[in-house]
Amino acid sequence: MLSAYRIEKYSQEFETKTPQEIIEWAVDRFSPYIAMSSSFQTQSMPLLHMATRVYPDLPIFFIDTGYHLWETLMFREKLAAEWSLKIVDLYRASRWDVFVRQRARTLPGEDPNLCCYLHKVQPMQEALRGYKAWISGIRRDQTSVRAKAKFLELQKDGLLKINPLLNWTKADVNRYIEENNLPKHPLYEKGYRSVGCAPCTIAIGVNDDERAGRWAGRGKVECGLHTDMFTKKDLTELSQEFQTEVRD
């Protein structure tokens, strides 16, 4: 395991490295105990393209919340076939089935934090058990939370989160997509610049912030995978963030 000193040192060095160099470093050090997560939206394409060319057998975690837009699922299937991706679908724990089915239509709107925790955070926490490193596609220019991120972030359980695109901008992403002729999400040209679950995603204007269409008007900008919520594995630690009373 890397020491905190080495992690900080590498993070500083990675400020001047290319994403490909960071991915190569991560794969050399951690494979086969390394995985990547992807939401299969347009801005996900550069990292997905880079990482799977460095390590074709890289497990790609896709969180199937059950609320995805149909276009996202079809896009994911198309890329999986064309790029020979090793996709691992993640689902909420079955113990929540009855609870969620009773609130399937209302939960995303009434309690989006709980919905994200059950459908995204918990499945990812469980999937990463046994792995040493997790490649994420977050960028500092996306949200105020991500602006504070580092290239390497050690989780409480010892998992190392790696953010190769951290200092890229939206312009960098678009440039890479055009230079490599990468496909775009089917709804991108219709104003869906950042695509999440159907109940919590809307189309936005050309000049709007990239993530303005996510949880619009709900005072929420993150699903929890990249916040302190991800470090909480007990519902009692998060009870104040939920509107609905729920017990594990």
Short mmCIF file of all heavy atoms in Angstrom, two decimals, residues 7 13 23-24 38 43 47 68 76-77 88 107 121 129 134 144 149 160 175 186 188 192 197 209 220 226 245:
data_model
loop_
_atom_site.label_atom_id
_atom_site.label_comp_id
_atom_site.label_asym_id
_atom_site.label_seq_id
_atom_site.Cartn_x
_atom_site.Cartn_y
_atom_site.Cartn_z
N ILE A 7 1.34 9.14 -1.88
CA ILE A 7 0.10 9.46 -2.58
C ILE A 7 0.04 10.96 -2.88
O ILE A 7 -0.30 11.38 -3.99
CB ILE A 7 -1.12 9.02 -1.75
CG1 ILE A 7 -1.23 7.50 -1.75
CG2 ILE A 7 -2.41 9.66 -2.30
CD1 ILE A 7 -2.30 6.97 -0.84
N GLU A 13 2.75 15.33 -8.81
CA GLU A 13 3.45 15.05 -10.07
C GLU A 13 2.46 14.87 -11.23
O GLU A 13 2.74 15.26 -12.36
CB GLU A 13 4.28 13.77 -9.92
CG GLU A 13 5.47 13.92 -8.98
CD GLU A 13 6.22 12.61 -8.80
OE1 GLU A 13 5.79 11.58 -9.39
OE2 GLU A 13 7.24 12.60 -8.08
N ILE A 23 -3.01 6.67 -16.28
CA ILE A 23 -3.67 5.37 -16.41
C ILE A 23 -2.63 4.26 -16.50
O ILE A 23 -2.78 3.21 -15.85
CB ILE A 23 -4.59 5.35 -17.65
CG1 ILE A 23 -5.75 6.34 -17.47
CG2 ILE A 23 -5.13 3.94 -17.90
CD1 ILE A 23 -6.52 6.61 -18.74
N GLU A 24 -1.59 4.46 -17.28
CA GLU A 24 -0.53 3.46 -17.41
C GLU A 24 0.14 3.18 -16.07
O GLU A 24 0.41 2.04 -15.72
CB GLU A 24 0.50 3.93 -18.44
CG GLU A 24 -0.01 3.89 -19.87
CD GLU A 24 0.94 4.54 -20.85
OE1 GLU A 24 1.99 5.08 -20.40
OE2 GLU A 24 0.65 4.53 -22.06
N SER A 38 -18.11 4.04 -15.24
CA SER A 38 -18.50 4.90 -16.37
C SER A 38 -20.01 5.03 -16.43
O SER A 38 -20.74 4.06 -16.22
CB SER A 38 -17.98 4.32 -17.69
OG SER A 38 -18.32 5.18 -18.77
N GLN A 43 -19.38 12.92 -22.18
CA GLN A 43 -18.14 13.33 -21.52
C GLN A 43 -17.36 12.14 -20.94
O GLN A 43 -16.21 12.28 -20.54
CB GLN A 43 -18.44 14.33 -20.41
CG GLN A 43 -19.37 13.80 -19.33
CD GLN A 43 -19.76 14.88 -18.35
OE1 GLN A 43 -18.93 15.64 -17.90
NE2 GLN A 43 -21.05 14.95 -18.03
N LEU A 47 -12.10 9.13 -21.43
CA LEU A 47 -11.46 8.26 -20.45
C LEU A 47 -11.73 6.79 -20.77
O LEU A 47 -10.83 5.95 -20.64
CB LEU A 47 -11.98 8.58 -19.04
CG LEU A 47 -11.32 7.79 -17.91
CD1 LEU A 47 -9.81 8.02 -17.87
CD2 LEU A 47 -11.94 8.15 -16.56
N HIS A 68 -32.60 4.59 -15.79
CA HIS A 68 -31.87 5.16 -16.92
C HIS A 68 -32.77 5.46 -18.12
O HIS A 68 -33.76 4.76 -18.36
CB HIS A 68 -30.76 4.21 -17.38
CG HIS A 68 -29.54 4.26 -16.53
ND1 HIS A 68 -28.78 5.40 -16.39
CD2 HIS A 68 -28.92 3.31 -15.78
CE1 HIS A 68 -27.76 5.15 -15.59
NE2 HIS A 68 -27.82 3.89 -15.19
N ARG A 76 -24.84 2.22 -24.38
CA ARG A 76 -23.94 1.34 -23.63
C ARG A 76 -23.78 0.00 -24.35
O ARG A 76 -22.67 -0.53 -24.47
CB ARG A 76 -24.48 1.13 -22.21
CG ARG A 76 -23.91 -0.02 -21.42
CD ARG A 76 -24.87 -0.34 -20.32
NE ARG A 76 -24.72 -1.56 -19.63
CZ ARG A 76 -24.57 -2.78 -20.12
NH1 ARG A 76 -24.47 -2.98 -21.38
NH2 ARG A 76 -24.52 -3.83 -19.36
N GLU A 77 -24.88 -0.57 -24.83
CA GLU A 77 -24.83 -1.85 -25.54
C GLU A 77 -24.04 -1.73 -26.84
O GLU A 77 -23.25 -2.62 -27.19
CB GLU A 77 -26.25 -2.34 -25.85
CG GLU A 77 -27.02 -2.81 -24.63
CD GLU A 77 -26.35 -4.00 -23.95
OE1 GLU A 77 -25.92 -4.94 -24.65
OE2 GLU A 77 -26.23 -3.98 -22.72
N VAL A 88 -19.35 -4.57 -16.24
CA VAL A 88 -19.93 -5.24 -15.08
C VAL A 88 -21.11 -4.39 -14.62
O VAL A 88 -20.93 -3.25 -14.19
CB VAL A 88 -18.91 -5.39 -13.93
CG1 VAL A 88 -19.57 -6.09 -12.74
CG2 VAL A 88 -17.68 -6.14 -14.40
N LEU A 107 -39.76 8.24 -5.19
CA LEU A 107 -38.48 8.33 -4.49
C LEU A 107 -37.47 9.29 -5.13
O LEU A 107 -36.86 10.10 -4.42
CB LEU A 107 -37.85 6.94 -4.35
CG LEU A 107 -36.59 6.85 -3.48
CD1 LEU A 107 -36.89 7.31 -2.07
CD2 LEU A 107 -36.05 5.42 -3.48
N VAL A 121 -24.57 4.51 -4.67
CA VAL A 121 -23.48 4.44 -3.70
C VAL A 121 -23.27 3.04 -3.14
O VAL A 121 -22.15 2.49 -3.20
CB VAL A 121 -23.70 5.46 -2.56
CG1 VAL A 121 -22.61 5.30 -1.49
CG2 VAL A 121 -23.70 6.88 -3.11
N ARG A 129 -15.28 -3.98 -3.38
CA ARG A 129 -14.65 -4.84 -2.37
C ARG A 129 -13.64 -5.77 -3.07
O ARG A 129 -13.95 -6.41 -4.06
CB ARG A 129 -15.68 -5.70 -1.66
CG ARG A 129 -16.62 -4.94 -0.75
CD ARG A 129 -17.61 -5.90 -0.11
NE ARG A 129 -18.62 -5.22 0.69
CZ ARG A 129 -18.48 -4.93 1.98
NH1 ARG A 129 -17.37 -5.27 2.59
NH2 ARG A 129 -19.45 -4.31 2.63
N TRP A 134 -9.58 2.42 -8.10
CA TRP A 134 -10.81 2.75 -8.82
C TRP A 134 -10.54 3.97 -9.69
O TRP A 134 -10.20 5.03 -9.17
CB TRP A 134 -11.92 3.00 -7.81
CG TRP A 134 -13.15 3.70 -8.32
CD1 TRP A 134 -13.65 3.68 -9.59
CD2 TRP A 134 -14.04 4.53 -7.56
NE1 TRP A 134 -14.81 4.43 -9.67
CE2 TRP A 134 -15.06 4.95 -8.45
CE3 TRP A 134 -14.08 4.93 -6.23
CZ2 TRP A 134 -16.10 5.79 -8.02
CZ3 TRP A 134 -15.11 5.75 -5.81
CH2 TRP A 134 -16.12 6.17 -6.70
N SER A 144 -18.37 22.38 -7.62
CA SER A 144 -17.57 22.95 -6.54
C SER A 144 -16.95 21.86 -5.67
O SER A 144 -15.87 22.03 -5.10
CB SER A 144 -18.43 23.87 -5.68
OG SER A 144 -19.54 23.16 -5.13
N ALA A 149 -10.88 18.15 -5.52
CA ALA A 149 -10.36 16.78 -5.61
C ALA A 149 -8.88 16.75 -5.97
O ALA A 149 -8.30 17.73 -6.45
CB ALA A 149 -11.16 15.99 -6.64
N LEU A 160 -7.76 3.08 -3.41
CA LEU A 160 -7.20 4.30 -3.97
C LEU A 160 -8.04 4.75 -5.16
O LEU A 160 -8.17 4.02 -6.14
CB LEU A 160 -5.75 4.09 -4.41
CG LEU A 160 -5.01 5.35 -4.87
CD1 LEU A 160 -4.86 6.32 -3.70
CD2 LEU A 160 -3.65 5.00 -5.45
N ARG A 175 -12.30 18.42 -27.49
CA ARG A 175 -11.20 18.31 -28.45
C ARG A 175 -10.79 16.86 -28.66
O ARG A 175 -10.60 16.41 -29.80
CB ARG A 175 -10.00 19.12 -27.97
CG ARG A 175 -8.86 19.19 -28.98
CD ARG A 175 -7.68 20.00 -28.44
NE ARG A 175 -8.10 21.31 -27.97
CZ ARG A 175 -8.11 21.69 -26.69
NH1 ARG A 175 -7.72 20.84 -25.74
NH2 ARG A 175 -8.50 22.90 -26.35
N PRO A 186 -26.71 9.57 -27.73
CA PRO A 186 -27.77 9.91 -28.68
C PRO A 186 -28.55 11.17 -28.34
O PRO A 186 -29.12 11.80 -29.23
CB PRO A 186 -28.69 8.68 -28.62
CG PRO A 186 -27.81 7.57 -28.17
CD PRO A 186 -26.82 8.18 -27.24
N TYR A 188 -27.22 13.88 -26.79
CA TYR A 188 -26.33 15.03 -26.59
C TYR A 188 -26.75 16.24 -27.43
O TYR A 188 -26.81 17.36 -26.92
CB TYR A 188 -24.89 14.62 -26.95
CG TYR A 188 -23.88 15.72 -26.71
CD1 TYR A 188 -23.40 15.99 -25.42
CD2 TYR A 188 -23.40 16.50 -27.77
CE1 TYR A 188 -22.48 17.00 -25.20
CE2 TYR A 188 -22.48 17.51 -27.54
CZ TYR A 188 -22.02 17.76 -26.27
OH TYR A 188 -21.10 18.77 -26.05
N TYR A 192 -28.97 17.33 -23.86
CA TYR A 192 -28.62 16.55 -22.66
C TYR A 192 -27.10 16.48 -22.55
O TYR A 192 -26.47 15.54 -22.99
CB TYR A 192 -29.23 15.15 -22.74
CG TYR A 192 -30.73 15.12 -22.59
CD1 TYR A 192 -31.56 15.41 -23.67
CD2 TYR A 192 -31.32 14.83 -21.36
CE1 TYR A 192 -32.93 15.40 -23.53
CE2 TYR A 192 -32.70 14.81 -21.22
CZ TYR A 192 -33.51 15.10 -22.31
OH TYR A 192 -34.88 15.09 -22.17
N CYS A 197 -30.10 9.67 -14.39
CA CYS A 197 -31.37 8.94 -14.41
C CYS A 197 -32.47 9.81 -15.02
O CYS A 197 -32.45 11.04 -14.87
CB CYS A 197 -31.75 8.53 -12.99
SG CYS A 197 -30.61 7.33 -12.26
N ASP A 209 -24.48 25.76 -17.71
CA ASP A 209 -23.44 24.92 -17.14
C ASP A 209 -23.67 23.47 -17.55
O ASP A 209 -24.82 23.02 -17.64
CB ASP A 209 -23.45 25.04 -15.61
CG ASP A 209 -22.39 24.17 -14.94
OD1 ASP A 209 -21.22 24.56 -14.93
OD2 ASP A 209 -22.76 23.08 -14.46
N LYS A 220 -29.13 19.98 -5.41
CA LYS A 220 -28.27 18.80 -5.40
C LYS A 220 -27.42 18.81 -6.66
O LYS A 220 -27.92 19.06 -7.76
CB LYS A 220 -29.13 17.53 -5.35
CG LYS A 220 -28.39 16.20 -5.34
CD LYS A 220 -29.41 15.06 -5.24
CE LYS A 220 -28.79 13.68 -5.45
NZ LYS A 220 -27.87 13.29 -4.38
N HIS A 226 -18.88 10.72 -5.31
CA HIS A 226 -17.66 11.53 -5.22
C HIS A 226 -17.74 12.53 -4.07
O HIS A 226 -17.12 13.59 -4.10
CB HIS A 226 -17.43 12.25 -6.55
CG HIS A 226 -17.47 11.33 -7.72
ND1 HIS A 226 -16.54 10.32 -7.91
CD2 HIS A 226 -18.37 11.22 -8.74
CE1 HIS A 226 -16.85 9.66 -9.01
NE2 HIS A 226 -17.95 10.16 -9.53
N GLU A 245 -37.73 7.92 6.32
CA GLU A 245 -37.20 7.03 7.36
C GLU A 245 -36.96 5.65 6.77
O GLU A 245 -37.85 5.05 6.16
CB GLU A 245 -38.20 6.91 8.54
CG GLU A 245 -37.64 6.09 9.68
CD GLU A 245 -38.58 6.04 10.87
OE1 GLU A 245 -39.59 6.77 10.85
OE2 GLU A 245 -38.32 5.27 11.80
#
